[in-house]
Amino acid sequence: MKFINNKLYINYSELSPEQKSIYRMRIKIFLKKLVYEYNNFEEWFSLLFISDILSKNDREIIICECDYQLAGVAILKNDDIEKKICTLRVAKRFQKQGIGQHLMELSFEWLNDDKPLITIVLSYASCEILAILICFSPS
């Protein structure tokens, strides 16, 4: 756990089993809008875990919490084939506060790579095309 600018950043793998159970549900609710971006969201989400609480060994979920609310989430993959930021989300009310940047920096640290693959999604929502572009230049 790390505090950065009064926000708590937590690695899912470091939580107790009881905390993992709670955070797994909170993360799923937080990411529920991904149903528009990931076909079979339920299956995709469940494949991040090997049990109800244990994430796969090659995965990490970094959580940002502010005032006991989930403010942001990064889902990472680090295996023999790729080092990747699979998902990065910051809640609308917490955007433009540096949370995305801190999640990226913590992701680079966990992946031990400052140029990992990053999933970029094009989706259709409310008849508009949304392009999610991540532009980040590490200092």
Side-chain angles (χ1 to χ4, degrees), residues 23-35 41 45 61-65 69-75 87-95 99 103:
Y23 274 96
R24 184 179 193 266
M25 186 54 65
R26 291 181 70 200
I27 293 165
K28 186 176 181 181
I29 292 167
F30 181 80
L31 295 176
K32 68 182 177 185
K33 292 182 182 178
L34 292 180
V35 296
F41 172 81
F45 189 79
I61 302 171
I62 302 174
I63 305 152
C64 176
E65 201 173 82
Q69 294 182 29
L70 278 167
V73 169
I75 299 175
T87 302
L88 191 137
R89 284 284 186 274
V90 176
K92 192 165 189 82
R93 71 177 281 228
F94 293 104
Q95 292 177 359
I99 293 169
L103 286 170

Side-chain angles (χ1 to χ4, degrees), residues 47-58:
L47 289 174
L48 298 173
F49 302 88
I50 55 176
S51 74
D52 285 345
I53 59 170
L54 292 176
S55 59
K56 290 184 176 177
N57 290 336
D58 64 350

Side-chain angles (χ1 to χ4, degrees), residues 1-110:
M1 289 191 235
K2 293 182 182 184
F3 276 98
I4 304 172
N5 296 335
N6 296 319
K7 292 170 184 63
L8 179 62
Y9 291 83
I10 305 163
N11 282 19
Y12 182 86
S13 63
E14 297 172 0
L15 296 169
S16 71
E18 296 80 16
Q19 291 171 316
K20 285 179 180 178
S21 179
I22 293 166
Y23 274 96
R24 184 179 193 266
M25 186 54 65
R26 291 181 70 200
I27 293 165
K28 186 176 181 181
I29 292 167
F30 181 80
L31 295 176
K32 68 182 177 185
K33 292 182 182 178
L34 292 180
V35 296
Y36 299 111
E37 297 170 13
Y38 285 90
N39 290 334
N40 297 321
F41 172 81
E42 294 289 332
E43 180 181 344
W44 169 81
F45 189 79
S46 68
L47 289 174
L48 298 173
F49 302 88
I50 55 176
S51 74
D52 285 345
I53 59 170
L54 292 176
S55 59
K56 290 184 176 177
N57 290 336
D58 64 350
R59 303 291 177 138
E60 181 63 271
I61 302 171
I62 302 174
I63 305 152
C64 176
E65 201 173 82
C66 182
D67 298 326
Y68 303 103
Q69 294 182 29
L70 278 167
V73 169
I75 299 175
L76 313 174
K77 180 180 181 183
N78 187 357
D79 63 16
D80 294 336
I81 299 170
E82 60 188 1
K83 293 175 181 270
K84 180 177 176 181
I85 299 173
C86 303
T87 302
L88 191 137
R89 284 284 186 274
V90 176
K92 192 165 189 82
R93 71 177 281 228
F94 293 104
Q95 292 177 359
K96 302 196 185 302
Q97 297 178 32
I99 293 169
Q101 178 178 342
H102 293 301
L103 286 170
M104 292 284 284
E105 290 168 353
L106 293 168
S107 296
F108 294 164
E109 186 178 308
W110 187 82

